[in-house]
Every structure is written in structure tokens, then in C-alpha cells.
Amino acid sequence: MVAVTPRKAFLGIFVIAALMMGYALFAEHVQGYQPCMLCMVQRVFVCLVGGIALLAFLHGPGAVGRRIYGALCALACAGGGYIAARHVYLQSLSPEELDGCAPSFEYALENYDALKFLKTIFIRDQDCGVIDWTFLGFSMPAWVLAGFVALFAASLWTGFRRG
């Protein structure tokens, strides 16, 4: 049996985040699905989790550093999980319950200050309520939410386990 060292665990977290991001890019550029603003924000959090995990793998920290990296990864997972959960919630609403559309991610990024940009993330957006991709009956944001939950657990386990 192969022992799972903290470095290997952080590498695993990085690989899972990279695979999640890789599929998101595949779905966009090969399959033709256009990401909404909430999808783009989820991607930022996936990259953040992957980046922190990669740093932890390369650094190979001791017990205190492992806890810090584990907590940072878990916090990034919690942020991404919140956005994904909100996206799943918006997808559960009927079209009549959605209030208009938010601007595109690129437009908001280029034309809004940071506070207004963050506010637009939480505007109910009809595009974010559309389900145009499912696997085993779950939408992509639901799968991303499951990924964040799994990565959250893995981050805490890696950062705070004994040994």
C-alpha cells in the first residue's frame, strides 16, 4: 500500500482542480458551451484552489505550513462552493422568478469598479438559470459544487491530519 504523504495529497488536489478547469475549457472551446458570469467566477476559485495546492506541493511544508495551506485551500473551496451553490439555486428557479440579466463577465471586468463588479456576481441572471448541460441528471454547476465539497474535505484532511 502506498502511503499518502501531504505532498502527494496536495498534488492530488492540484490535479483534480486542473482536470476540473480542463473540462471547463473543453466544454467552452470544443463543445461550444458559453460560460455565464457565475461559471467564470467558479473557474477563478478552481484555479485558486489548484494554485494553492500546487504551491503546497512544491513547498513541501512542515506541520504548521501544511495547516496554513490546507486552510487556504479549504477557504477557496468554500468560496467557490458558495458561488456554485448559488448557481444551482438560480437554476432551480422558474424563468418568471429570474430578474433580468447581468452584463457579461468581460464587460463587467472592464467597466466596473471592484465593488460593483462583485455586486453583479450576485444579480439574478437568466443566462445563469439555463441548464444546457447535464450528466447523470446534474447540471455542470451541481458537479462543480460536488467537486468543491470533495476538495474542501481533502484540503482539511491534508492540512489537519496527524502525521
Side-chain angles (χ1 to χ4, degrees), residues 11-81:
L11 179 61
I13 292 169
F14 165 74
V15 168
I16 291 169
L19 289 171
M20 288 172 67
M21 194 61 212
Y23 185 75
L25 293 172
F26 174 80
E28 178 181 356
H29 297 289
V30 176
Q31 295 179 315
Y33 294 108
Q34 290 302 310
C36 67
M37 181 174 256
L38 292 178
C39 294
M40 297 300 286
V41 174
Q42 290 168 62
R43 289 180 182 190
V44 169
F45 279 103
V46 169
C47 290
L48 184 60
V49 171
I52 294 167
L54 180 61
L55 283 174
F57 167 73
L58 295 173
H59 179 209
V64 173
R66 193 174 72 236
R67 285 181 179 86
I68 292 170
Y69 283 121
L72 290 173
C73 273
L75 283 173
C77 289

Short mmCIF file of all heavy atoms in Angstrom, two decimals, residues 11-81:
data_model
loop_
_atom_site.label_atom_id
_atom_site.label_comp_id
_atom_site.label_asym_id
_atom_site.label_seq_id
_atom_site.Cartn_x
_atom_site.Cartn_y
_atom_site.Cartn_z
N LEU A 11 -0.71 17.40 -4.29
CA LEU A 11 -0.59 17.16 -5.72
C LEU A 11 -1.92 16.63 -6.27
O LEU A 11 -2.37 17.05 -7.34
CB LEU A 11 0.55 16.19 -6.03
CG LEU A 11 0.74 15.84 -7.51
CD1 LEU A 11 1.07 17.09 -8.33
CD2 LEU A 11 1.83 14.78 -7.67
N GLY A 12 -2.55 15.72 -5.54
CA GLY A 12 -3.85 15.20 -5.95
C GLY A 12 -4.91 16.29 -6.04
O GLY A 12 -5.70 16.33 -6.99
N ILE A 13 -4.92 17.19 -5.07
CA ILE A 13 -5.86 18.31 -5.09
C ILE A 13 -5.60 19.18 -6.32
O ILE A 13 -6.53 19.58 -7.02
CB ILE A 13 -5.77 19.13 -3.78
CG1 ILE A 13 -6.29 18.29 -2.61
CG2 ILE A 13 -6.53 20.45 -3.90
CD1 ILE A 13 -6.00 18.89 -1.24
N PHE A 14 -4.33 19.45 -6.58
CA PHE A 14 -3.98 20.24 -7.77
C PHE A 14 -4.45 19.54 -9.04
O PHE A 14 -5.03 20.17 -9.93
CB PHE A 14 -2.47 20.48 -7.83
CG PHE A 14 -2.01 20.96 -9.18
CD1 PHE A 14 -2.27 22.26 -9.59
CD2 PHE A 14 -1.35 20.10 -10.05
CE1 PHE A 14 -1.88 22.70 -10.85
CE2 PHE A 14 -0.96 20.53 -11.31
CZ PHE A 14 -1.22 21.84 -11.71
N VAL A 15 -4.20 18.25 -9.16
CA VAL A 15 -4.58 17.50 -10.37
C VAL A 15 -6.10 17.54 -10.56
O VAL A 15 -6.59 17.75 -11.68
CB VAL A 15 -4.05 16.06 -10.32
CG1 VAL A 15 -4.67 15.19 -11.40
CG2 VAL A 15 -2.53 16.05 -10.44
N ILE A 16 -6.86 17.36 -9.48
CA ILE A 16 -8.32 17.39 -9.60
C ILE A 16 -8.78 18.78 -10.04
O ILE A 16 -9.64 18.92 -10.92
CB ILE A 16 -8.98 16.97 -8.28
CG1 ILE A 16 -8.73 15.48 -8.04
CG2 ILE A 16 -10.49 17.27 -8.29
CD1 ILE A 16 -9.09 14.99 -6.67
N ALA A 17 -8.20 19.83 -9.46
CA ALA A 17 -8.55 21.20 -9.87
C ALA A 17 -8.18 21.42 -11.34
O ALA A 17 -8.95 22.04 -12.09
CB ALA A 17 -7.88 22.22 -8.97
N ALA A 18 -7.03 20.94 -11.76
CA ALA A 18 -6.61 21.08 -13.15
C ALA A 18 -7.55 20.34 -14.09
O ALA A 18 -7.89 20.84 -15.17
CB ALA A 18 -5.17 20.59 -13.33
N LEU A 19 -8.00 19.15 -13.69
CA LEU A 19 -8.96 18.40 -14.51
C LEU A 19 -10.30 19.13 -14.60
O LEU A 19 -10.93 19.17 -15.66
CB LEU A 19 -9.15 16.99 -13.95
CG LEU A 19 -7.96 16.05 -14.14
CD1 LEU A 19 -8.18 14.75 -13.36
CD2 LEU A 19 -7.71 15.77 -15.61
N MET A 20 -10.74 19.70 -13.47
CA MET A 20 -11.98 20.47 -13.48
C MET A 20 -11.87 21.65 -14.45
O MET A 20 -12.77 21.91 -15.25
CB MET A 20 -12.33 20.97 -12.07
CG MET A 20 -12.80 19.88 -11.13
SD MET A 20 -12.99 20.45 -9.41
CE MET A 20 -14.38 21.59 -9.56
N MET A 21 -10.76 22.36 -14.37
CA MET A 21 -10.55 23.52 -15.24
C MET A 21 -10.40 23.07 -16.69
O MET A 21 -10.92 23.71 -17.61
CB MET A 21 -9.32 24.29 -14.78
CG MET A 21 -9.20 25.65 -15.36
SD MET A 21 -10.59 26.68 -14.92
CE MET A 21 -10.67 27.69 -16.37
N GLY A 22 -9.70 21.97 -16.88
CA GLY A 22 -9.53 21.43 -18.23
C GLY A 22 -10.86 21.08 -18.88
O GLY A 22 -11.09 21.40 -20.05
N TYR A 23 -11.76 20.46 -18.10
CA TYR A 23 -13.06 20.14 -18.68
C TYR A 23 -13.87 21.39 -18.95
O TYR A 23 -14.58 21.49 -19.96
CB TYR A 23 -13.88 19.17 -17.82
CG TYR A 23 -15.14 18.81 -18.56
CD1 TYR A 23 -15.08 17.93 -19.63
CD2 TYR A 23 -16.34 19.44 -18.28
CE1 TYR A 23 -16.21 17.66 -20.40
CE2 TYR A 23 -17.47 19.18 -19.03
CZ TYR A 23 -17.41 18.29 -20.09
OH TYR A 23 -18.51 18.04 -20.85
N ALA A 24 -13.77 22.39 -18.07
CA ALA A 24 -14.49 23.65 -18.30
C ALA A 24 -14.05 24.28 -19.63
O ALA A 24 -14.88 24.75 -20.42
CB ALA A 24 -14.27 24.61 -17.14
N LEU A 25 -12.74 24.27 -19.87
CA LEU A 25 -12.22 24.84 -21.12
C LEU A 25 -12.62 23.99 -22.32
O LEU A 25 -12.94 24.51 -23.39
CB LEU A 25 -10.71 25.00 -21.03
CG LEU A 25 -10.25 26.05 -20.01
CD1 LEU A 25 -8.74 26.00 -19.84
CD2 LEU A 25 -10.72 27.43 -20.40
N PHE A 26 -12.63 22.67 -22.16
CA PHE A 26 -13.07 21.76 -23.22
C PHE A 26 -14.54 22.02 -23.55
O PHE A 26 -14.91 22.10 -24.73
CB PHE A 26 -12.86 20.30 -22.78
CG PHE A 26 -13.42 19.30 -23.74
CD1 PHE A 26 -12.73 18.95 -24.89
CD2 PHE A 26 -14.64 18.69 -23.50
CE1 PHE A 26 -13.23 18.01 -25.79
CE2 PHE A 26 -15.17 17.76 -24.39
CZ PHE A 26 -14.46 17.42 -25.53
N ALA A 27 -15.37 22.15 -22.51
CA ALA A 27 -16.79 22.39 -22.73
C ALA A 27 -17.02 23.71 -23.46
O ALA A 27 -17.92 23.82 -24.30
CB ALA A 27 -17.54 22.38 -21.39
N GLU A 28 -16.20 24.70 -23.15
CA GLU A 28 -16.35 26.00 -23.80
C GLU A 28 -15.82 25.99 -25.23
O GLU A 28 -16.52 26.38 -26.16
CB GLU A 28 -15.63 27.09 -23.00
CG GLU A 28 -15.71 28.45 -23.64
CD GLU A 28 -14.97 29.54 -22.88
OE1 GLU A 28 -14.42 29.26 -21.80
OE2 GLU A 28 -14.93 30.67 -23.39
N HIS A 29 -14.58 25.57 -25.41
CA HIS A 29 -13.91 25.74 -26.70
C HIS A 29 -14.15 24.60 -27.69
O HIS A 29 -14.04 24.82 -28.89
CB HIS A 29 -12.41 25.94 -26.49
CG HIS A 29 -12.11 27.20 -25.73
ND1 HIS A 29 -12.28 28.45 -26.26
CD2 HIS A 29 -11.69 27.39 -24.45
CE1 HIS A 29 -11.96 29.37 -25.37
NE2 HIS A 29 -11.60 28.75 -24.26
N VAL A 30 -14.46 23.41 -27.21
CA VAL A 30 -14.69 22.28 -28.12
C VAL A 30 -16.18 22.00 -28.27
O VAL A 30 -16.69 21.84 -29.37
CB VAL A 30 -13.93 21.02 -27.64
CG1 VAL A 30 -14.24 19.82 -28.51
CG2 VAL A 30 -12.42 21.29 -27.62
N GLN A 31 -16.89 21.94 -27.13
CA GLN A 31 -18.31 21.63 -27.19
C GLN A 31 -19.19 22.85 -27.45
O GLN A 31 -20.36 22.70 -27.77
CB GLN A 31 -18.75 20.94 -25.89
CG GLN A 31 -18.09 19.58 -25.70
CD GLN A 31 -18.51 18.91 -24.40
OE1 GLN A 31 -18.55 19.54 -23.36
NE2 GLN A 31 -18.84 17.63 -24.50
N GLY A 32 -18.63 24.04 -27.30
CA GLY A 32 -19.36 25.25 -27.65
C GLY A 32 -20.26 25.84 -26.59
O GLY A 32 -21.07 26.72 -26.88
N TYR A 33 -20.16 25.40 -25.35
CA TYR A 33 -20.97 25.98 -24.27
C TYR A 33 -20.35 27.29 -23.82
O TYR A 33 -19.16 27.36 -23.53
CB TYR A 33 -21.06 25.03 -23.07
CG TYR A 33 -21.80 23.76 -23.38
CD1 TYR A 33 -21.13 22.55 -23.50
CD2 TYR A 33 -23.18 23.77 -23.54
CE1 TYR A 33 -21.80 21.38 -23.78
CE2 TYR A 33 -23.87 22.60 -23.84
CZ TYR A 33 -23.18 21.41 -23.95
OH TYR A 33 -23.85 20.26 -24.23
N GLN A 34 -21.16 28.34 -23.75
CA GLN A 34 -20.68 29.65 -23.35
C GLN A 34 -20.88 29.81 -21.84
O GLN A 34 -22.01 29.71 -21.35
CB GLN A 34 -21.40 30.76 -24.10
CG GLN A 34 -21.04 30.82 -25.56
CD GLN A 34 -19.54 31.00 -25.77
OE1 GLN A 34 -18.92 31.88 -25.19
NE2 GLN A 34 -18.95 30.15 -26.60
N PRO A 35 -19.81 30.08 -21.09
CA PRO A 35 -19.95 30.22 -19.64
C PRO A 35 -20.61 31.55 -19.27
O PRO A 35 -20.34 32.58 -19.90
CB PRO A 35 -18.51 30.16 -19.14
CG PRO A 35 -17.70 30.66 -20.29
CD PRO A 35 -18.42 30.21 -21.53
N CYS A 36 -21.45 31.49 -18.25
CA CYS A 36 -22.05 32.72 -17.73
C CYS A 36 -21.09 33.33 -16.70
O CYS A 36 -20.02 32.78 -16.43
CB CYS A 36 -23.41 32.42 -17.09
SG CYS A 36 -23.28 31.43 -15.58
N MET A 37 -21.50 34.44 -16.11
CA MET A 37 -20.64 35.12 -15.16
C MET A 37 -20.34 34.23 -13.94
O MET A 37 -19.20 34.19 -13.47
CB MET A 37 -21.26 36.43 -14.71
CG MET A 37 -20.39 37.19 -13.73
SD MET A 37 -21.05 38.79 -13.37
CE MET A 37 -19.96 39.77 -14.35
N LEU A 38 -21.33 33.53 -13.43
CA LEU A 38 -21.09 32.68 -12.28
C LEU A 38 -20.15 31.53 -12.63
O LEU A 38 -19.34 31.12 -11.79
CB LEU A 38 -22.41 32.15 -11.70
CG LEU A 38 -23.31 33.18 -11.04
CD1 LEU A 38 -24.60 32.54 -10.55
CD2 LEU A 38 -22.60 33.89 -9.91
N CYS A 39 -20.24 31.03 -13.84
CA CYS A 39 -19.30 29.98 -14.29
C CYS A 39 -17.87 30.51 -14.26
O CYS A 39 -16.95 29.82 -13.83
CB CYS A 39 -19.63 29.52 -15.70
SG CYS A 39 -21.20 28.66 -15.87
N MET A 40 -17.71 31.74 -14.73
CA MET A 40 -16.37 32.33 -14.76
C MET A 40 -15.81 32.52 -13.35
O MET A 40 -14.63 32.28 -13.11
CB MET A 40 -16.40 33.67 -15.52
CG MET A 40 -16.81 33.54 -16.98
SD MET A 40 -15.70 32.49 -17.94
CE MET A 40 -14.31 33.57 -18.10
N VAL A 41 -16.65 32.93 -12.42
CA VAL A 41 -16.19 33.12 -11.05
C VAL A 41 -15.83 31.76 -10.43
O VAL A 41 -14.84 31.65 -9.71
CB VAL A 41 -17.26 33.86 -10.21
CG1 VAL A 41 -16.85 33.92 -8.75
CG2 VAL A 41 -17.47 35.26 -10.77
N GLN A 42 -16.61 30.74 -10.73
CA GLN A 42 -16.27 29.40 -10.25
C GLN A 42 -14.91 28.96 -10.79
O GLN A 42 -14.12 28.35 -10.07
CB GLN A 42 -17.36 28.39 -10.65
CG GLN A 42 -18.66 28.59 -9.91
CD GLN A 42 -19.80 27.80 -10.51
OE1 GLN A 42 -19.75 26.58 -10.55
NE2 GLN A 42 -20.83 28.50 -11.00
N ARG A 43 -14.63 29.29 -12.03
CA ARG A 43 -13.33 28.97 -12.61
C ARG A 43 -12.19 29.65 -11.85
O ARG A 43 -11.13 29.05 -11.65
CB ARG A 43 -13.28 29.38 -14.08
CG ARG A 43 -14.12 28.53 -14.98
CD ARG A 43 -14.00 29.02 -16.40
NE ARG A 43 -14.85 28.26 -17.29
CZ ARG A 43 -14.81 28.34 -18.61
NH1 ARG A 43 -13.95 29.17 -19.18
NH2 ARG A 43 -15.61 27.62 -19.35
N VAL A 44 -12.41 30.89 -11.46
CA VAL A 44 -11.39 31.61 -10.69
C VAL A 44 -11.10 30.86 -9.39
O VAL A 44 -9.93 30.66 -9.02
CB VAL A 44 -11.83 33.06 -10.40
CG1 VAL A 44 -10.91 33.73 -9.40
CG2 VAL A 44 -11.89 33.86 -11.70
N PHE A 45 -12.14 30.40 -8.71
CA PHE A 45 -11.94 29.67 -7.46
C PHE A 45 -11.28 28.31 -7.69
O PHE A 45 -10.45 27.88 -6.89
CB PHE A 45 -13.26 29.51 -6.70
CG PHE A 45 -13.63 30.74 -5.91
CD1 PHE A 45 -14.60 31.61 -6.37
CD2 PHE A 45 -13.00 31.02 -4.71
CE1 PHE A 45 -14.95 32.74 -5.64
CE2 PHE A 45 -13.33 32.15 -3.97
CZ PHE A 45 -14.31 33.01 -4.44
N VAL A 46 -11.63 27.63 -8.78
CA VAL A 46 -10.97 26.36 -9.10
C VAL A 46 -9.47 26.60 -9.32
O VAL A 46 -8.63 25.85 -8.80
CB VAL A 46 -11.60 25.69 -10.35
CG1 VAL A 46 -10.76 24.53 -10.84
CG2 VAL A 46 -13.01 25.21 -10.03
N CYS A 47 -9.14 27.65 -10.05
CA CYS A 47 -7.72 27.98 -10.28
C CYS A 47 -7.03 28.36 -8.98
O CYS A 47 -5.86 28.01 -8.77
CB CYS A 47 -7.60 29.10 -11.30
SG CYS A 47 -8.03 28.61 -12.98
N LEU A 48 -7.71 29.07 -8.11
CA LEU A 48 -7.15 29.45 -6.82
C LEU A 48 -6.84 28.22 -5.97
O LEU A 48 -5.75 28.09 -5.41
CB LEU A 48 -8.11 30.39 -6.08
CG LEU A 48 -7.63 30.95 -4.75
CD1 LEU A 48 -6.35 31.76 -4.93
CD2 LEU A 48 -8.74 31.83 -4.15
N VAL A 49 -7.78 27.29 -5.91
CA VAL A 49 -7.55 26.04 -5.17
C VAL A 49 -6.36 25.29 -5.76
O VAL A 49 -5.46 24.85 -5.04
CB VAL A 49 -8.81 25.14 -5.18
CG1 VAL A 49 -8.51 23.76 -4.62
CG2 VAL A 49 -9.94 25.80 -4.40
N GLY A 50 -6.35 25.16 -7.08
CA GLY A 50 -5.25 24.47 -7.74
C GLY A 50 -3.91 25.15 -7.52
O GLY A 50 -2.89 24.49 -7.28
N GLY A 51 -3.90 26.47 -7.58
CA GLY A 51 -2.66 27.21 -7.37
C GLY A 51 -2.12 27.05 -5.95
O GLY A 51 -0.91 26.86 -5.75
N ILE A 52 -2.99 27.13 -4.97
CA ILE A 52 -2.56 26.95 -3.57
C ILE A 52 -2.04 25.54 -3.37
O ILE A 52 -0.99 25.34 -2.73
CB ILE A 52 -3.72 27.27 -2.60
CG1 ILE A 52 -4.09 28.74 -2.67
CG2 ILE A 52 -3.34 26.88 -1.17
CD1 ILE A 52 -5.41 29.08 -1.99
N ALA A 53 -2.76 24.55 -3.90
CA ALA A 53 -2.32 23.17 -3.74
C ALA A 53 -0.98 22.93 -4.44
O ALA A 53 -0.13 22.20 -3.91
CB ALA A 53 -3.39 22.22 -4.28
N LEU A 54 -0.79 23.53 -5.61
CA LEU A 54 0.48 23.37 -6.31
C LEU A 54 1.63 24.00 -5.51
O LEU A 54 2.70 23.40 -5.39
CB LEU A 54 0.41 24.00 -7.71
CG LEU A 54 1.68 23.91 -8.55
CD1 LEU A 54 2.05 22.45 -8.80
CD2 LEU A 54 1.49 24.65 -9.86
N LEU A 55 1.38 25.17 -4.95
CA LEU A 55 2.40 25.80 -4.09
C LEU A 55 2.73 24.91 -2.90
O LEU A 55 3.90 24.75 -2.53
CB LEU A 55 1.92 27.16 -3.60
CG LEU A 55 1.99 28.31 -4.59
CD1 LEU A 55 1.35 29.56 -4.00
CD2 LEU A 55 3.42 28.59 -4.99
N ALA A 56 1.71 24.34 -2.29
CA ALA A 56 1.93 23.45 -1.14
C ALA A 56 2.75 22.23 -1.55
O ALA A 56 3.65 21.80 -0.83
CB ALA A 56 0.60 23.03 -0.53
N PHE A 57 2.43 21.67 -2.71
CA PHE A 57 3.18 20.52 -3.21
C PHE A 57 4.65 20.88 -3.44
O PHE A 57 5.55 20.15 -3.02
CB PHE A 57 2.55 19.99 -4.50
CG PHE A 57 3.43 19.01 -5.22
CD1 PHE A 57 3.62 17.74 -4.73
CD2 PHE A 57 4.08 19.39 -6.39
CE1 PHE A 57 4.45 16.83 -5.40
CE2 PHE A 57 4.90 18.50 -7.07
CZ PHE A 57 5.09 17.21 -6.57
N LEU A 58 4.88 22.00 -4.10
CA LEU A 58 6.25 22.40 -4.41
C LEU A 58 7.03 22.80 -3.15
O LEU A 58 8.22 22.53 -3.05
CB LEU A 58 6.25 23.57 -5.40
CG LEU A 58 5.70 23.26 -6.79
CD1 LEU A 58 5.58 24.53 -7.62
CD2 LEU A 58 6.55 22.22 -7.49
N HIS A 59 6.35 23.41 -2.22
CA HIS A 59 6.99 23.86 -0.98
C HIS A 59 7.30 22.70 -0.04
O HIS A 59 8.34 22.68 0.60
CB HIS A 59 6.09 24.89 -0.30
CG HIS A 59 6.61 25.42 0.99
ND1 HIS A 59 5.79 25.85 1.98
CD2 HIS A 59 7.87 25.58 1.47
CE1 HIS A 59 6.51 26.27 3.01
NE2 HIS A 59 7.78 26.11 2.73
N GLY A 60 6.39 21.73 0.05
CA GLY A 60 6.58 20.61 0.97
C GLY A 60 6.71 21.09 2.42
O GLY A 60 7.71 20.79 3.07
N PRO A 61 5.72 21.83 2.93
CA PRO A 61 5.86 22.45 4.25
C PRO A 61 5.81 21.46 5.40
O PRO A 61 5.38 20.31 5.24
CB PRO A 61 4.64 23.38 4.31
CG PRO A 61 3.62 22.65 3.50
CD PRO A 61 4.39 22.02 2.37
N GLY A 62 6.22 21.93 6.56
CA GLY A 62 6.09 21.17 7.79
C GLY A 62 4.65 21.23 8.28
O GLY A 62 3.75 21.66 7.56
N ALA A 63 4.44 20.85 9.52
CA ALA A 63 3.09 20.73 10.07
C ALA A 63 2.34 22.07 10.06
O ALA A 63 1.17 22.12 9.67
CB ALA A 63 3.14 20.17 11.48
N VAL A 64 2.99 23.14 10.47
CA VAL A 64 2.32 24.44 10.52
C VAL A 64 2.00 24.93 9.11
O VAL A 64 0.87 25.38 8.84
CB VAL A 64 3.18 25.48 11.27
CG1 VAL A 64 2.57 26.87 11.19
CG2 VAL A 64 3.36 25.07 12.73
N GLY A 65 2.93 24.84 8.20
CA GLY A 65 2.70 25.25 6.82
C GLY A 65 1.61 24.41 6.16
O GLY A 65 0.80 24.93 5.39
N ARG A 66 1.60 23.12 6.47
CA ARG A 66 0.57 22.23 5.92
C ARG A 66 -0.81 22.69 6.38
O ARG A 66 -1.76 22.70 5.60
CB ARG A 66 0.86 20.80 6.36
CG ARG A 66 0.05 19.78 5.62
CD ARG A 66 0.47 18.37 5.97
NE ARG A 66 0.03 18.02 7.31
CZ ARG A 66 0.82 17.61 8.29
NH1 ARG A 66 2.11 17.48 8.08
NH2 ARG A 66 0.33 17.30 9.46
N ARG A 67 -0.92 23.10 7.63
CA ARG A 67 -2.21 23.59 8.14
C ARG A 67 -2.62 24.89 7.44
O ARG A 67 -3.79 25.08 7.11
CB ARG A 67 -2.14 23.79 9.65
CG ARG A 67 -2.17 22.50 10.43
CD ARG A 67 -2.12 22.74 11.94
NE ARG A 67 -2.18 21.49 12.66
CZ ARG A 67 -1.13 20.73 12.95
NH1 ARG A 67 0.08 21.11 12.57
NH2 ARG A 67 -1.28 19.60 13.60
N ILE A 68 -1.65 25.75 7.23
CA ILE A 68 -1.95 27.02 6.55
C ILE A 68 -2.41 26.76 5.12
O ILE A 68 -3.45 27.28 4.68
CB ILE A 68 -0.73 27.96 6.59
CG1 ILE A 68 -0.47 28.42 8.03
CG2 ILE A 68 -0.92 29.15 5.65
CD1 ILE A 68 0.84 29.15 8.23
N TYR A 69 -1.67 25.94 4.38
CA TYR A 69 -2.07 25.61 3.01
C TYR A 69 -3.42 24.90 2.99
O TYR A 69 -4.27 25.19 2.13
CB TYR A 69 -1.02 24.74 2.32
CG TYR A 69 0.20 25.48 1.85
CD1 TYR A 69 1.46 25.15 2.32
CD2 TYR A 69 0.11 26.50 0.90
CE1 TYR A 69 2.61 25.81 1.87
CE2 TYR A 69 1.24 27.17 0.45
CZ TYR A 69 2.48 26.81 0.94
OH TYR A 69 3.60 27.47 0.48
N GLY A 70 -3.63 23.98 3.91
CA GLY A 70 -4.90 23.27 3.97
C GLY A 70 -6.06 24.22 4.24
O GLY A 70 -7.13 24.12 3.61
N ALA A 71 -5.86 25.16 5.16
CA ALA A 71 -6.90 26.13 5.48
C ALA A 71 -7.16 27.07 4.30
O ALA A 71 -8.32 27.39 4.00
CB ALA A 71 -6.51 26.93 6.72
N LEU A 72 -6.10 27.51 3.62
CA LEU A 72 -6.28 28.39 2.45
C LEU A 72 -7.03 27.67 1.34
O LEU A 72 -7.92 28.25 0.70
CB LEU A 72 -4.93 28.90 1.96
CG LEU A 72 -4.23 29.92 2.86
CD1 LEU A 72 -2.82 30.23 2.33
CD2 LEU A 72 -5.05 31.19 2.97
N CYS A 73 -6.66 26.42 1.09
CA CYS A 73 -7.37 25.63 0.08
C CYS A 73 -8.84 25.48 0.47
O CYS A 73 -9.74 25.63 -0.37
CB CYS A 73 -6.74 24.25 -0.09
SG CYS A 73 -5.40 24.17 -1.27
N ALA A 74 -9.08 25.16 1.73
CA ALA A 74 -10.46 24.97 2.21
C ALA A 74 -11.27 26.26 2.08
O ALA A 74 -12.44 26.23 1.68
CB ALA A 74 -10.46 24.47 3.64
N LEU A 75 -10.65 27.40 2.39
CA LEU A 75 -11.35 28.69 2.24
C LEU A 75 -11.69 28.97 0.79
O LEU A 75 -12.80 29.44 0.48
CB LEU A 75 -10.50 29.82 2.82
CG LEU A 75 -10.49 29.95 4.33
CD1 LEU A 75 -9.46 30.99 4.76
CD2 LEU A 75 -11.86 30.30 4.85
N ALA A 76 -10.76 28.69 -0.11
CA ALA A 76 -11.03 28.88 -1.54
C ALA A 76 -12.14 27.94 -2.00
O ALA A 76 -13.01 28.33 -2.79
CB ALA A 76 -9.76 28.65 -2.36
N CYS A 77 -12.14 26.72 -1.50
CA CYS A 77 -13.21 25.76 -1.82
C CYS A 77 -14.56 26.26 -1.30
O CYS A 77 -15.59 26.12 -1.97
CB CYS A 77 -12.91 24.39 -1.24
SG CYS A 77 -11.58 23.51 -2.05
N ALA A 78 -14.56 26.83 -0.10
CA ALA A 78 -15.80 27.34 0.48
C ALA A 78 -16.34 28.50 -0.36
O ALA A 78 -17.55 28.58 -0.63
CB ALA A 78 -15.57 27.78 1.92
N GLY A 79 -15.46 29.39 -0.80
CA GLY A 79 -15.88 30.50 -1.66
C GLY A 79 -16.45 30.00 -2.98
O GLY A 79 -17.52 30.43 -3.42
N GLY A 80 -15.73 29.10 -3.61
CA GLY A 80 -16.21 28.54 -4.87
C GLY A 80 -17.48 27.73 -4.69
O GLY A 80 -18.38 27.77 -5.54
N GLY A 81 -17.55 27.00 -3.59
CA GLY A 81 -18.75 26.22 -3.30
C GLY A 81 -19.97 27.11 -3.11
O GLY A 81 -21.07 26.78 -3.55
#
